[in-house]
Amino acid sequence: MSQQLTHNESIFNKKTFPVTLVCDNIVFQPNIGSIFRIAEAFGVSEIIFVGEGIALTPRKINRTSRSTHNMVKHRVIQSTQDAVTLLTQNDYHIVALEITDMSTPLKSAQFTTDKPIALIAGSEVSGISPEFLQLANQTVHIEMFGDNSSMNVVQAVGIALYDITSKIG
């Protein structure tokens, strides 16, 4: 019979991937906490929160982050243009996670470690800003089979990070 393992008994090897998660105006504190948790679970190198007034209030995000906000390198960049400049100057392969008229299914996308990857996830309300969509080397979407055409940003990020790290790991 199978027995559930504790955190200390887990069989996973710690690994960090050349993946930076760019959160474009994601502001809902429980989502921010969950983003830290999922980013830590998938070995993300860094999280960049982009937008004015992004509050990384530990008291409000700790419930969902389970203290992973203390484990994952992160920063806030207020200006979208400053974030665009950073990604461009550091030669990232930029992947936008968004349903567009030109996006391809995530499952058919290819990723390599030739360049660091910047995965851009968009706002809970308006998605990814036009500046980031235009900058993207690749735009991918998650195929869904119900009537709904969107899902929570944290769920989408989790699916995308699983796919990307599986392909490059």
Side-chain angles (χ1 to χ4, degrees), residues 24 95-106 119-130 132-133 136 138-142 144 149-151 153 156 160:
D24 181 16
V95 180
L97 181 60
E98 187 70 83
I99 299 170
T100 72
D101 60 344
M102 301 291 288
S103 60
T104 58
L106 177 64
L119 174 65
I120 302 175
S123 158
E124 298 94 341
V125 176
S126 55
I128 295 176
S129 64
F132 282 128
L133 281 177
Q138 194 173 6
T139 304
V140 297
H141 64 263
I142 298 166
M144 293 179 279
S149 65
S150 69
M151 64 178 65
V153 66

